[in-house]
Amino acid sequence: MKNKKIGIMGGTFDPIHTGHLVVANEVLNFYGLEEIIFIPAGDPPHKKGTMAGSFDRYIMTEMAVLSNHKFKVSDIEIKKEGKSYTLNTLTELTEKYPDAEFYFITGTDAVIELPSWREPQEVLKLCRFVAVSRPGISMDEAAVKISEINKMYNSSIELFQAPMLKISSTDIRQRFKTGKSAKYLLPESVEQYIIKNNLYGSNDLR
Ligand code: ATP
Ligand code: MG
């Protein structure tokens, strides 16, 4: 009997922001999850110039969740060289927590990419899949896409309406690069870490 509900939220978290934290908390409340594990992705083999490395992304994610004892961070993907497949990560987690039911949380922008993942059908078998609303894709559009995917894989991905927060790491990186404030879009501790460590070309903000 699976008696522990655990949320999983993967991402590059480059950097982690308020959007990630708010939607994770909404899903945790709604489904009565015991905890959510944030899993920063490993560095891609050919990293682009403006991105932070896995160590910094991991530390920022740790800082962001520090005040919430139900939020955890796993280094399972950053410990590995190159790209990790969700299938492998979920398989490892299933072995580590045999009595857990996993809720895999993604934004609607990420879930529509699912057919291009490695063995989506297997991934869908290992967890309950929750797609949270995100500005850029309407709920109607997302519902149509998700029902197509569900038909394709005989799965039951659920669409979850979270507060629509138009926050993205891409926009935050751009703000640091151009000397514009990103305050309140991300935790203050993470903002300070970025400035202190000169990430994303943030030197003008010191
Ligand atoms: P980038 O702009 O670099 O792609 P991002 O803001 O999309 O960054 P990711 O690390 O790519 O952040 O996202 C991790 C997961 O969180 C994905 O499933 C993504 O869809 C979801 N997500 C990110 N931001 C939001 C948001 N504002 N609302 C809902 N879901 C989000
Ligand atoms: Mg993204």
Side-chain angles (χ1 to χ4, degrees):
M1 171 70 188
K2 308 259 184 197
N3 54 21
K4 198 175 177 195
K5 297 178 178 183
I6 300 182
I8 308 275
M9 187 145 182
T12 40
F13 302 128
D14 192 18
I16 188 160
H17 55 65
T18 309
H20 298 124
L21 299 166
V22 168
V23 299
N25 193 50
E26 293 301 304
V27 172
L28 179 134
N29 279 338
F30 182 81
Y31 290 98
L33 307 184
E34 231 157 282
E35 61 182 43
I36 293 191
I37 308 175
F38 290 77
I39 309 185
D43 286 331
H46 303 289
K47 208 154 59 79
K48 285 185 230 129
T50 55
M51 312 246 282
S54 55
F55 175 77
D56 286 325
R57 292 183 292 102
Y58 177 80
I59 297 285
M60 290 190 282
T61 309
E62 282 280 17
M63 288 178 134
V65 305
L66 213 55
S67 62
N68 187 340
H69 71 282
K70 293 192 173 178
F71 284 2
K72 309 268 161 68
V73 186
S74 164
D75 61 2
I76 186 169
E77 294 197 355
I78 64 154
K79 270 191 319 206
K80 292 185 184 140
E81 290 243 326
K83 187 172 163 28
S84 291
Y85 292 100
T86 300
L87 178 62
N88 299 345
T89 303
L90 274 173
T91 306
E92 275 182 51
L93 289 172
T94 312
E95 283 159 12
K96 191 167 169 198
Y97 303 93
D99 60 350
E101 182 183 24
F102 290 107
Y103 288 68
F104 197 86
I105 306 160
T106 71
T108 43
D109 63 313
V111 81
I112 61 180
E113 301 292 325
L114 200 126
S116 69
W117 292 17
R118 185 187 228 186
E119 300 190 56
Q121 194 137 27
E122 293 307 307
V123 172
L124 288 161
K125 268 191 220 151
L126 290 173
C127 58
R128 264 176 87 166
F129 220 95
V130 180
V132 293
S133 54
R134 183 171 192 185
I137 301 172
S138 73
M139 283 298 270
D140 289 349
E141 197 187 336
V144 170
K145 288 260 162 62
I146 288 170
S147 100
E148 280 169 16
I149 297 176
N150 280 338
K151 262 190 215 127
M152 195 162 22
Y153 298 112
N154 192 24
S155 55
S156 41
I157 301 168
E158 292 158 59
L159 179 58
F160 179 82
Q161 180 140 32
M164 286 282 201
L165 293 167
K166 198 169 172 294
I167 304 175
S168 73
S169 305
T170 302
D171 173 56
I172 290 172
R173 290 194 301 271
Q174 189 60 21
R175 284 170 186 243
F176 281 113
K177 199 174 151 198
T178 56
K180 287 194 188 119
S181 168
K183 273 197 188 302
Y184 320 118
L185 299 176
L186 73 176
E188 199 169 352
S189 54
V190 177
E191 183 200 7
Q192 290 307 314
Y193 183 89
I194 291 169
I195 295 170
K196 218 170 171 179
N197 293 285
N198 255 331
L199 304 180
Y200 313 123
S202 63
N203 3 8
D204 292 350
L205 289 166
R206 267 175 201 262

